[in-house]
Amino acid sequence: MTVIICNDTPPAIRGMLKRWFVEPKPNVFVGTVNRRTREKTIEYIRRNAPGLGMLILATAQNSQGFSIVSYGETNRIPVIYDGHYLIAEKWNEDEEC
């Protein structure tokens, strides 16, 4: 399963994504595609909408069963903590941890 969350998706990109994904909410695309199709789709989006911020959750062989990748500017930052993916809404680099 793949979930792609975009910021202000252009109509051409939205139409292309709707070929393989459903859009349950504006700018949120969910679908089951193989890895090659997912990678080609993301490559197409990055080439044709370079400023588009995306957060991508995809099935992976790890303890959580998914991975998270971010492209462009988004409001959330994927973080790996003790081998687990987390989403940070605000990130402050403090030396006192």
Side-chain angles (χ1 to χ4, degrees):
M1 169 137 340
T2 301
V3 179
I4 300 175
I5 305 165
C6 301
N7 296 335
D8 301 323
T9 311
I13 301 295
R14 176 176 269 154
M16 188 275 302
L17 284 170
K18 286 184 178 182
R19 292 179 190 166
W20 295 287
F21 299 90
V22 294
E23 188 178 15
K25 209 173 168 184
N27 299 314
V28 176
F29 301 92
V30 180
T32 304
V33 294
N34 62 33
R35 188 182 72 177
R36 182 171 187 262
T37 302
R38 178 178 63 240
E39 289 172 358
K40 291 286 187 182
T41 302
I42 293 166
E43 178 184 314
Y44 176 85
I45 295 168
R46 293 188 67 204
R47 186 176 56 244
N48 293 294
L52 183 66
M54 294 186 293
L55 188 65
I56 302 161
L57 293 87
T59 303
Q61 295 292 328
N62 59 26
S63 61
Q64 286 179 300
F66 63 88
S67 63
I68 303 173
V69 179
S70 177
Y71 295 105
E73 198 166 316
T74 62
N75 294 335
R76 288 160 173 56
I77 302 166
V79 178
I80 299 176
Y81 184 77
D82 284 341
H84 295 286
Y85 285 96
L86 303 172
I87 299 291
E89 291 186 27
K90 228 179 196 185
W91 189 261
N92 294 327
E93 291 287 338
D94 291 336
E95 292 183 21
E96 301 173 26
C97 289

